[in-house]
Amino acid sequence: MKAKTTRILITGAHGQLGQALLANLPWLPEFSPSRLRMEIPEASLVPRSAVEHHSVIAPGSAIEIVALGHQQLDLTSADLPERLSEINADVIINCAAYNAVDAAEQDMAAAMALNAEAPERLAIWCRQQGAWLIHISSDYVFGNVFGHVFGNDWGSVFGNVSGNASANMLGNAPRALTESDVCQPLSLYGQSKLAGEQRLLKANPGALVLRTSWLYSRFGSNFVLTMRRLLTERPELKVVADQVGTPTWAEALARLIWQLLIWFHLNPEKSAVLSGCFHYAATGQCSWYLFTKEIAEQIAKQQCNSAPSSQAAPLQTGSRSQAALHAQSNPAPITPGCRITPVSTAEYGALLNRAQAPRPAYSALDSSALKDAMAAMPSAFRCYLPKDYPSPIWLSWQAQLALMLSGLGASSLD
């Protein structure tokens, strides 16, 4: 059987998810100036009977990864199709996006160019070349599907919150949103993301759209890293309590995508593993306020249990531990008595003293459809990931947060 190589292009490789994908490769890659080549060890192949039955793969196969940021590949440039043909990828993971939610209100053209027009152009090229496209979208495509979740009584729900923030204290919060719920984005950013989904799937129905929400990671600038820093600097944090969603660890999403990519690699026809629109987020839901409370509580717990013997074991990435990859400056301890105070979206806007784009009051995502679709994949495909590549994909948002923070190093918070 002939060994095969699958070439994967990651756009927006310098962003949170792009970096998470590169930090969570299932096997250690060989580096070259222009790309990574990830050889799949023969020892990790599925049992011989399964290989013969499915005619899946031969030893020596590899996945090549071309990871490009905006400076290396401008998705809005006129010569994009030519650049894509030069790279000649079998799969494109589009992590590139215009994510400045507030700025998009003043620069809709830029948001549409990157969030709507670029995905459509990628979709057309992939359809013409027989490549698979995975596109990342946002929970902000939704408006207030159930009306304003907390009405004018949000204070009675969140005003007297105490104790363990991991408890479900969402009052009258409704069910999580499914792919069939109506999209009515409130912001121009949300409108641009929805337009991207619609134009992409119209141009290429075989593409896959993954909607996710409230992404955070050890990379770049995000809510968890910001709160982790502010908890050490300020005596009080005022945090929005009337927006509810699902915090999602970017590295869990990265591992989900790698699982899909390996299944694609094993597919002899190199056809799409999944197509259409699916949701992916951690399980559970919370407000930004409860999220901040949980961040503070988990950090405080790690500070109290910072001896090496009591730390949580980090996830493994190939033969490297995640802790070894978390080379970041170590923050100071949390400010003693730091108060975390719930405020409404309107109150927070007044504190900022600047205009904010409207956000959905409720945007927790239900990932059941994706989980069911992945569970239905051939068992031979699921055998392929290394044994030391554990999956945090379907964990609660609290459990994903704990893994992220433990990887940053509890002892560094003393």
Side-chain angles (χ1 to χ4, degrees):
M1 186 183 301
K2 183 180 178 181
K4 105 183 189 183
T5 296
T6 298
R7 183 171 298 161
I8 296 168
L9 169 62
I10 301 174
T11 67
H14 297 160
Q16 266 199 98
L17 182 56
Q19 292 184 75
L21 284 163
L22 294 174
N24 284 270
L25 301 175
W27 294 279
L28 294 178
E30 297 177 1
F31 290 87
S32 70
S34 60
R35 58 175 57 95
L36 309 176
R37 180 178 175 87
M38 188 169 62
E39 299 282 351
I40 299 182
E42 185 174 356
S44 71
L45 297 178
V46 294
R48 179 175 298 277
S49 59
V51 174
E52 291 174 349
H53 177 71
H54 293 281
S55 299
V56 175
I57 200 167
S61 67
I63 293 176
E64 286 188 353
I65 304 137
V66 181
L68 302 176
H70 176 73
Q71 296 301 320
Q72 294 80 37
L73 182 65
D74 182 357
L75 299 187
T76 65
S77 65
D79 66 345
L80 178 62
E82 290 76 16
R83 290 295 313 281
L84 294 175
S85 294
E86 290 172 4
I87 298 166
N88 194 28
D90 299 296
V91 185
I92 297 177
I93 310 169
N94 184 31
C95 302
Y98 184 105
N99 286 328
V101 177
D102 294 332
E105 298 293 308
Q106 308 301 321
D107 197 0
M108 183 59 168
M112 286 295 293
L114 195 52
N115 291 347
E117 295 163 16
E120 181 181 30
R121 297 174 74 196
L122 291 173
I124 292 171
W125 185 90
C126 287
R127 186 195 68 222
Q128 293 172 343
Q129 303 302 319
W132 187 33
L133 174 61
I134 300 176
H135 173 71
I136 308 304
S137 191
S138 167
D139 58 322
Y140 279 29
V141 299
F142 291 107
N144 291 329
V145 177
F146 304 106
H148 195 286
V149 177
F150 305 109
N152 296 319
D153 196 33
W154 72 272
S156 66
V157 178
F158 293 102
N160 298 311
V161 169
S162 62
N164 189 345
S166 66
N168 181 6
M169 296 178 288
L170 293 174
N172 58 341
R175 62 165 176 81
L177 299 170
T178 69
E179 294 83 353
S180 61
D181 282 309
V182 176
C183 294
Q184 293 179 324
L186 304 175
S187 64
L188 295 183
Y189 163 77
Q191 292 175 27
S192 72
K193 293 297 289 184
L194 179 60
E197 291 183 9
Q198 294 170 337
R199 291 164 70 159
L200 177 150
L201 289 173
K202 182 178 180 180
N204 186 348
L208 173 64
V209 172
L210 289 176
R211 287 181 187 149
T212 192
S213 64
W214 295 23
L215 279 187
Y216 64 90
S217 70
R218 52 183 151 134
F219 304 109
S221 176
N222 59 73
F223 188 83
V224 173
L225 294 184
T226 298
M227 291 299 106
R228 188 170 178 259
R229 173 178 55 83
L230 293 180
L231 285 165
T232 72
E233 297 176 353
R234 299 186 182 179
E236 181 181 21
L237 294 178
K238 295 183 177 180
V239 188
V240 170
D242 59 353
Q243 293 175 28
V244 170
T246 304
T248 304
W249 188 26
E251 298 193 47
L253 174 56
R255 290 183 177 229
L256 180 147
I257 291 172
W258 273 118
Q259 191 162 335
L260 295 175
L261 292 172
I262 290 169
W263 291 344
F264 175 91
H265 180 69
L266 297 174
N267 188 334
E269 289 80 27
K270 282 195 173 182
S271 60
V273 174
L274 288 175
S275 60
C277 180
F278 287 88
H279 289 176
Y280 173 69
T283 62
Q285 51 191 274
C286 64
S287 67
W288 294 111
Y289 165 69
L290 288 182
F291 191 20
T292 306
K293 292 272 286 183
E294 183 73 11
I295 293 167
E297 289 182 11
Q298 290 201 18
I299 291 175
K301 186 181 298 183
Q302 289 182 353
Q303 288 175 337
C304 293
N305 303 301
S306 58
S309 60
S310 61
Q311 289 185 27
L315 287 173
Q316 298 296 310
T317 304
S319 61
R320 303 163 294 181
S321 70
Q322 256 195 349
L325 293 168
H326 287 269
Q328 294 202 15
S329 58
N330 298 331
I334 293 176
T335 303
C338 178
R339 297 186 307 279
I340 303 172
T341 304
V343 297
S344 68
T345 297
E347 289 172 328
Y348 184 73
L351 291 172
L352 291 179
N353 196 29
R354 60 174 171 81
Q356 274 196 300
R359 269 86 165 162
Y362 184 85
S363 61
L365 300 180
D366 183 341
S367 305
S368 299
L370 179 60
K371 187 175 184 180
D372 291 346
M374 293 180 70
M377 293 293 173
S379 59
F381 289 6
R382 295 198 298 272
C383 294
Y384 242 83
L385 287 169
K387 291 181 179 179
D388 63 348
Y389 192 76
S391 174
I393 295 172
W394 307 116
L395 297 180
S396 69
W397 66 267
Q398 297 97 326
Q400 287 189 358
L401 177 64
L403 285 170
M404 184 267 196
L405 291 174
S406 67
L408 288 174
S411 60
S412 68
L413 301 179
D414 289 335

